[in-house]
Every structure is written in C-alpha cells, then in structure tokens.
Amino acid sequence: MDQVATLQLESVDLQSSRNNREHHTQEMGVKRLTVRRGQLFYLQLSFSRPFQSQSDHITFVAETGPKPSELLGTRATFFLTRVRPGNVWSASDFTIDSNSLHVSLFTPANAVIGHYILKIEISQGQGHSVTYPLGTFILLFNPWSPEDDVYLPSEILLQEYVMQDYGFVYNGHERFITSWPWNYGQFEEDIIDICFEILNKSLHYLKNPAKDCSQRNDVVYVCRVVSAMINSNDDNGVLQGNWSEDYSEGVSPLEWNGSVAILRQWSARGGQPVKYGQCWVFASVMCTVMRCLGVPTRVVSNFRSAHNVDRNLTIDTYYDQNAEMLSTQKRDKIWNFHVWNECWMIRKDLPPGYNGWQVLDPTPQQTSSGLFCCGPASVKAIKEGDVHLAYDTPFVYAEVNADEVIWLLRDGQAQEILAHNTSSIGKEISTKMVGSDQHQSITSSYKYPEGSPEERAVFMKASRKMLGPQRASSPFLDLLESGGLRDEPAQLQLHLARIPEWGQDLQLLLRIRRVPDSTHPQGPIGLVVRFCAQALLHGGGTRKPLWRHTVRVNLDFGKETQWPLLLPYSNYRSKLTDEKLIRVSGIAEVEETGRSMLVLKDISLEPPHLSIEVSERAEVGKALRVHVTLTNTLMVALSSCTMVLEGSGLVNGQITKDLGTLVAGHTLQIQLDLYPTKAGPRQLQVLISSNEVKEIKGYKDIFVTAAGAP
C-alpha cells in the first residue's frame, strides 16, 4: 500500500466577518477575529490533500499571556472530536469538503480573556508532528452566554449596557440635574488593544505577569484592576486627578467630550497619565473599558455624596454667626455629586443573593488592599447594610447614607447644632434610562425610603458593624446626642424668583412663617437674618463670601412674610468655579432667646444653550451637513471660543475649530459636513468652551442608514 502523503496546511480562513457578527463584535471591525467566551466560532482549514480522520491527527493549541501554562489556564490543547464535550476548550462538529476542513471551536465560559495565538500540530500515526500557526484572536467576556459570570438575560439591556457607544453623565444639583453627552466609543478600532494595554501596565501584571493573566478569567479581579488603573495614584494609570481648578498643564475635566481621545493619548504617550480627570471622567472612561471587554456597565451619579474618611457615618459642616460656611481641617466632605460605575456580574465570592449590579469607583478617594480602587460592592449589600461583605462596601454605604450634622461656631467653638439631617446625603441616584435620553432615579436600589422603619433599621445594623461596640469617637458626639431635634419658632425658606442664568442678577425670595414652639408658643418674635453667598466647590467646600446681606423682621404669631433679595451679577461674575454653583446661606437669630436657625439654597446657573440640526438623511459615506447655533444670552462677551465635535461612527477622532469672540446678544452659526462611517443609531457631541464658560455642551441623536439603503 502506498504511503499517504503528509498532510500539510496551505491556508486558513478565520471567518472573522461571520464570527464577529455572531459574537456581537462586528462594530470593532472584521479584519481581526474577536470572539466571546462560551460560544462556538468557525474556521476553515485548507490542506494539501483531503483530511483523513482515521490516520491524520490534529491537535489545537491556544495560548495567551507571557508564559502560557495549562496549569494557570493560559494554555489549552484539545483534539478534533465529533461531538462537543461540554464547557471546555474543544474543536468539534467538523465537516470535510475536498481538501478543506470546516471546524467549530469552543472556548469555555470561564476562559481567560485576552489576545490568543492559535496553532495546530499535525501528525500521522506515530510519526513526528509539525506545528502550523493559524493566526490570532481576541477573547472577551460574554454577557450573552448563560454560563458566563457576566450573563445578562435581556437583549434590550445588552444593547444599552454593552453595545451602546454613547450616553450621558448626570451632574449639577439634585434639584436641577443637568446631563452631559459622552462618547464612550468602545468599538473604535484601537480601543480593544488599549484596554489590554491598561491591564498589562497594572502593578499586578508588572509584579507577576503570568499569574495576573491567569486571573483574567475572573470578572471581579479584572474590575478591580481596571478600577485601580483608570486613576494614576499608584501606577501609570490613564488619568491624573485634579481638583485645584488650575488646569494650565492639561485639559480641564469639563472639556472632555468622550473617552476615545483620552485613551488614545494615554497609549500614544507610552502610558503617561492624561491631564486631567474628575469623577465623571474617571467613571466614563471605565465604562468604555468594561463595555469593550464585554462586561455590562453603566455610569451612576450620586447627588450630595459623602466622603466619610473616619467611617463614623457622620459628616460635620460648620457655619459662623454671619452665615459663612467655614473650611475644616477634616478630610470628610460632601461632594455636590459623585459619579461611579455599576458592572453586572455573579458574585461567586459572596453568599447567595448579592448578584447583579456592583459598584466600582475608579476615582481615587481612598485605598483598598493598598491601591486606590473601589469595589465591586454589591448594590444589594449596600441596601441591606451588609457592610461586612467585600469589597469596600462600608465606604460606598456611607456615600449614600451618612448623616449630616451642621454646627454653629462661635469663637472657634461648636456652640449649637443648627441641623441634624438624616436624609440630606445620597439624593437622586441617577443613571441613563434604557432606550431613552432621560435620566432614571435608582435611589431605591441603594436604600429604603428615607425615614422608613426599614431604612433606620438598616442604618443601625450598618452602624453597629462599622463603629463596633465602642462608638467611634467624635469631639462633639456628646453634644450631638444631647442636642436632639428642637422645635423652632419660625419656618424659613429661600426660593428663586426666576430661572437663574449665568450673567444675570439673581432674584430670591425669603419666606418666613411664625409657628408655635415650646419656648414661645404665642406672641411676636424678632429675627435678625444674616445672609452670605459663596461659590460652591465640587468637593462640597466654598470660596470666600461674594455677597452679604442682613434682614431684620418682627413676626406676629401665625403670620407669614416675604422678603425679596437681589444678588447682582457683578458680585459673582469673577468669583465662581467652572461649575457655576452658588450656596446662599442664612442664619436667623431669635432676638428673644439668642438661638439660631439655618436656611440654605444652592443655585446652579444655566449656561447658554446650543442648537444642533442636520439637514438631510444620514447615510454611510455621504456628506451630512450639520448646523450648530449658539446665541450668547449673557451680559458679557465669550472670548477665545473653541468648538470640539466628537461621535463614534460620525467623526474620526475629533474636529476642533477656533471661533474667536462671541459678543453679548449675538449669534454664532457654524456649518460643516460630516461623513458617517457606521450605520445605526449614533450621537454627535458638541462642546463650545470659552474663557468665561468652560462647558456649553449639546448633542444630536442621528440614525445613519447603510450605504445604498433604500
């Protein structure tokens, strides 16, 4: 019998176009094979002669990481079989067509994610084997697979939290939430490589590359690594934080439109941290990375978010008798808003019942296991006060549940509790509504209704676990416990008389109503109300007073009075931060008793509004005329105006234009052509910044049809 010719591999078709489409990765392009674990993909191998399954032996080898090892799970060898053997690496369901072999490959749903090299070893009988490279592929988490720890059983939610490449960040104040559009851009061609570059620059990888790669099958591990690597506090992470308001050596956090420019700059400069980020930038970039890797992720804003360093579940703030909010040496603070991520996963490291959304916070606030990272903390554990569960649950619990105690200081000493607020922290916790541009409150996922028996019971449960048998020491704890909630002889409220716009005088209305109390059940009282306005910083602190005013009122029992207040534009014009927030504080002293009452009003000033219009139907490859209009409604000119346009599938990178000066009352009209590159729903983000107002942001949702579509 003639010797059968040696089987030689002549060509390989990785069928990237078909596989990427079936694995929901076609948005990343079809030049490279990019697949998700726990799902079949298909190859076609062409040989020098027909494959003979009785005598030809093929072994597949898949390897990832610097020192691939079967023991570590970074190397797999598997044979050609007729039937797929379960949740293991396999090559099965093959068919022979002349000299071609069609084969289905399967990766287990707990495989290590990463860049893989795929090879085959061919041997005949007992003869020596020859190794052929088949090519490379990228393996990602698979939220479509019921066997994967990130499985999300809803196509609508998968489209929103994995496939959607744009969204919104919610900011401002809980009573006037504003939205900033954001370009996540996780499917831009080079972003997947930058995501793995981030993992490969982590301290874990630098310390032990082989071990780090072997742990990339675990979504909890990968999330913690990414959380640490988005900030640069311990490592060459992506972003350098800056809360100083001096951004002269980089870009103001307010002036970013999306993640793509940040990630590309970090990679192009060899891993040098990009300047600068704050919470919404950190969280939005992490959302890009996690969605790109295949983990369902969303961006969440918590309004009035506590940073409770000493873990006593109390944040103290201080005012003097002139109503000026005072700075403090304590590191505790209340952010106007704070932004973090939620990632969807099964928590096999926790007892049953804590799967689903998990908080991850890449903003460097405090260390966790020695690194500046936070989470994953189960949202369910936070709601139930199970603060003993990993990771960093006590810190996140305090962010949404701490109490605020407001003190009156006289001569540097805490004299009086002006307020003990059990419900002023953790307001309007918000994320983008699925399939909509609106925001959705998810506060009820984090806590029971404020003041309800369940909420107070959970608070006491968490307090006992966090404070221990010995109550955490606070210099004013005894005074706090003895102060109680006293009744007041009057009710004070501050209202805005009209919508506050930057560049306009602010009109407020003070309402005072005389009510019975234990000290003065009847009769008139005299009040001296001292007002102070200060620029409110993002971290909850304030600048020096920019306006003061005093009102004297005599109030008969049962009566109500109104008092107009005017805060001129000239007082705040050059005194605010880029966020344009003002805190107006009033302390009313009761002349008969010397006791004090506090009234507060935070004001968020509206910037001018952008208008964006497109004149015709958008189609891939065809010119799309865009009209951008901005009217300067302010009393001053906007100088050194620049415009930045961004939007995955619409703009390659960014388009930047210098616009010069926009005189008060005048309108700027800009026309330009875009050439869309991807079909489907897209979002164009537009930012106009000037010396006077850093962020005038707008967006336009655009549906792009495929080239030549009817």
Side-chain angles (χ1 to χ4, degrees):
M1 183 178 170
D2 293 337
Q3 178 72 34
V4 176
T6 303
L7 187 72
Q8 295 177 333
L9 181 71
E10 294 194 337
S11 66
V12 184
D13 181 2
L14 297 178
Q15 300 192 15
S16 300
S17 182
R18 173 193 177 183
N19 287 321
N20 289 10
R21 186 175 66 254
E22 293 183 2
H23 285 248
H24 305 94
T25 61
Q26 74 275 21
E27 284 276 310
M28 296 180 185
V30 293
K31 293 177 184 173
R32 296 191 294 179
L33 179 59
T34 307
V35 293
R36 300 185 186 277
R37 62 188 194 174
Q39 185 175 336
L40 290 167
F41 64 97
Y42 307 96
L43 306 179
Q44 180 180 332
L45 309 179
S46 296
F47 295 109
S48 54
R49 61 167 174 78
F51 172 74
Q52 297 176 3
S53 58
Q54 301 301 316
S55 56
D56 295 325
H57 302 294
I58 293 181
T59 303
F60 287 83
V61 181
E63 296 177 333
T64 188
K67 292 180 181 175
S69 151
E70 293 192 25
L71 188 65
L72 291 173
T74 49
R75 184 177 196 268
T77 57
F78 46 101
F79 306 105
L80 199 57
T81 57
R82 285 283 178 196
V83 181
R84 184 162 71 82
N87 189 34
V88 293
W89 288 88
S90 63
S92 61
D93 305 321
F94 63 89
T95 58
I96 301 165
D97 177 15
S98 183
N99 288 7
S100 294
L101 179 70
H102 299 265
V103 62
S104 305
L105 265 63
F106 182 82
T107 61
N110 59 351
V112 167
I113 63 163
H115 287 83
Y116 277 81
I117 296 170
L118 187 62
K119 300 179 281 195
I120 56 167
E121 296 170 355
I122 302 176
S123 63
Q124 288 170 276
Q126 300 301 311
H128 73 284
S129 64
V130 179
T131 300
Y132 293 91
L134 297 184
T136 62
F137 66 93
I138 298 170
L139 189 63
L140 302 175
F141 292 109
N142 191 354
W144 281 267
S145 167
E147 307 302 318
D148 200 306
D149 285 351
V150 300
Y151 175 56
L152 181 58
S154 162
E155 187 60 35
I156 292 171
L157 298 185
L158 287 164
Q159 290 302 315
E160 181 72 48
Y161 297 132
V162 179
M163 300 303 292
Q164 184 82 285
D165 61 4
Y166 59 85
F168 298 93
V169 177
Y170 298 102
N171 60 83
H173 190 276
E174 82 257 21
R175 288 199 193 89
F176 17 80
I177 295 172
T178 55
S179 61
W180 285 334
W182 193 271
N183 179 34
Y184 296 123
Q186 68 267 31
F187 301 126
E188 294 286 305
E189 209 161 320
D190 50 347
I191 295 300
I192 182 67
D193 298 310
I194 297 172
C195 290
F196 284 107
E197 193 181 340
I198 288 169
L199 297 182
N200 290 346
K201 280 196 162 60
S202 77
L203 294 180
H204 297 281
Y205 183 89
L206 297 176
K207 184 179 178 183
N208 190 334
K211 182 183 177 187
D212 173 72
C213 284
S214 76
Q215 292 177 280
R216 293 182 188 174
N217 64 327
D218 178 4
V219 64
V220 172
Y221 178 81
V222 171
C223 281
R224 279 182 69 74
V225 170
V226 173
S227 171
M229 278 300 296
I230 296 299
N231 69 71
S232 63
N233 283 41
D234 311 290
D235 41 46
N236 281 332
V238 175
L239 280 156
Q240 183 175 322
N242 184 343
W243 291 266
S244 73
E245 296 181 70
D246 176 8
Y247 309 120
S248 54
E249 293 185 13
V251 175
S252 162
L254 290 164
E255 293 183 52
W256 296 112
N257 262 354
S259 308
V260 176
I262 293 168
L263 290 166
R264 284 177 174 165
Q265 181 181 318
W266 176 81
S267 177
R269 296 183 182 177
Q272 287 298 307
V274 175
K275 299 174 180 179
Y276 292 103
Q278 289 183 12
C279 61
W280 66 91
V281 189
F282 290 116
S284 299
V285 172
M286 181 157 183
C287 183
T288 296
V289 173
M290 297 316 298
R291 285 187 184 180
C292 186
L293 295 176
V295 181
T297 304
R298 60 189 186 183
V299 173
V300 174
S301 296
N302 177 37
F303 291 89
R304 290 188 56 77
S305 185
H307 182 182
N308 188 206
V309 177
D310 53 17
R311 288 175 48 149
N312 67 352
L313 288 175
T314 301
I315 307 288
D316 298 310
T317 52
Y318 305 92
Y319 289 83
D320 67 14
Q321 58 245 55
N322 294 316
E324 180 180 343
M325 185 179 175
L326 304 172
S327 59
T328 170
Q329 297 303 308
K330 296 178 74 173
R331 288 170 56 210
D332 282 8
K333 65 180 71 172
I334 303 171
W335 300 96
N336 301 329
F337 66 94
H338 183 55
V339 185
W340 57 65
N341 301 99
E342 286 178 1
C343 293
W344 180 273
M345 69 190 75
I346 290 170
R347 290 296 300 273
K348 291 177 179 172
D349 58 321
L350 299 183
Y354 299 98
N355 298 335
W357 290 116
Q358 314 287 321
V359 171
L360 285 130
D361 188 351
T363 299
Q365 293 192 87
Q366 69 174 31
T367 58
S368 172
S369 303
L371 294 178
F372 277 95
C373 65
C374 178
S378 162
V379 173
K380 177 73 170 172
I382 295 160
K383 181 170 183 174
E384 299 300 335
D386 294 324
V387 292
H388 59 290
L389 297 176
Y391 289 88
D392 310 304
T393 311
F395 183 76
V396 184
Y397 180 85
E399 286 184 300
V400 300
N401 283 298
D403 284 1
E404 179 186 20
V405 181
I406 302 176
W407 300 86
L408 178 64
L409 257 62
R410 284 195 179 95
D411 303 321
Q413 296 296 313
Q415 295 288 321
E416 195 177 334
I417 295 176
L418 294 169
H420 177 193
N421 298 326
T422 60
S423 61
S424 66
I425 285 170
K427 310 291 284 184
E428 285 297 322
I429 304 171
S430 299
T431 192
K432 179 184 176 295
M433 190 178 289
V434 174
S436 164
D437 289 353
Q438 302 302 308
H439 81 273
Q440 171 189 0
S441 174
I442 54 171
T443 311
S444 60
S445 301
Y446 281 82
K447 51 187 175 180
Y448 291 97
E450 294 285 6
S452 66
E454 297 93 338
E455 186 263 340
R456 282 289 100 183
V458 166
F459 188 84
M460 294 312 297
K461 170 184 171 183
S463 299
R464 282 193 294 273
K465 287 178 179 172
M466 289 173 68
L467 303 176
Q470 302 299 316
R471 294 289 305 276
S473 62
S474 164
F476 307 123
L477 200 59
D478 295 337
L479 183 55
L480 170 59
E481 289 182 339
S482 63
L485 292 173
R486 66 177 195 269
D487 51 352
E488 308 285 10
Q491 291 176 348
L492 287 80
Q493 290 181 316
L494 272 173
H495 295 277
L496 284 163
R498 68 177 188 197
I499 293 172
E501 290 188 47
W502 195 84
Q504 308 288 334
D505 295 345
L506 304 180
Q507 296 178 9
L508 296 106
L509 204 60
L510 172 66
R511 285 190 182 143
I512 311 175
R513 191 160 69 91
R514 173 77 171 93
V515 292
D517 70 302
S518 54
T519 316
H520 281 82
Q522 302 281 330
I525 57 168
L527 295 178
V528 179
V529 192
R530 296 178 177 89
F531 289 100
C532 177
Q534 296 167 273
L536 192 57
L537 307 176
H538 178 55
T542 52
R543 286 180 169 175
K544 292 292 182 189
L546 53 87
W547 174 82
R548 292 186 188 275
H549 191 69
T550 303
V551 172
R552 285 181 167 78
V553 181
N554 288 309
L555 207 57
D556 287 331
F557 182 74
K559 297 292 185 183
E560 182 176 312
T561 187
Q562 295 190 153
W563 204 282
L565 302 169
L566 184 73
L567 202 171
Y569 168 60
S570 56
N571 280 65
Y572 72 79
R573 174 178 176 175
S574 58
K575 305 286 177 56
L576 301 189
T577 69
D578 290 338
E579 287 183 64
K580 307 286 187 276
L581 278 168
I582 297 174
R583 170 161 293 176
V584 178
S585 318
I587 288 185
E589 187 176 336
V590 183
E591 292 181 319
E592 287 76 6
T593 63
R595 297 295 293 268
S596 299
M597 297 176 288
L598 176 71
V599 62
L600 296 175
K601 185 70 176 176
D602 290 343
I603 302 169
S604 177
L605 300 176
E606 288 271 319
H609 292 280
L610 275 177
S611 166
I612 307 163
E613 297 297 332
V614 291
S615 53
E616 62 273 299
R617 193 181 77 153
E619 183 180 326
V620 169
K622 281 198 173 178
L624 177 67
R625 178 63 55 91
V626 176
H627 305 264
V628 180
T629 307
L630 173 66
T631 299
N632 183 1
T633 55
L634 309 185
M635 295 161 66
V636 294
L638 297 176
S639 57
S640 302
C641 294
T642 58
M643 179 176 73
V644 179
L645 284 83
E646 195 166 326
S648 288
L650 296 170
V651 178
N652 183 16
Q654 294 177 320
I655 296 173
T656 304
K657 282 185 176 293
D658 289 325
L659 306 175
T661 297
L662 179 56
V663 176
H666 284 221
T667 297
L668 195 63
Q669 291 185 317
I670 305 131
Q671 293 185 14
L672 69 165
D673 288 340
L674 305 181
Y675 292 85
T677 57
K678 290 182 179 180
R682 302 290 159 196
Q683 187 188 78
L684 178 67
Q685 297 94 14
V686 180
L687 163 75
I688 294 181
S689 61
S690 66
N691 291 336
E692 290 70 25
V693 183
K694 287 293 178 224
E695 83 307 336
I696 302 170
K697 296 193 177 189
Y699 73 95
K700 182 72 175 177
D701 290 332
I702 299 170
F703 189 86
V704 181
T705 60

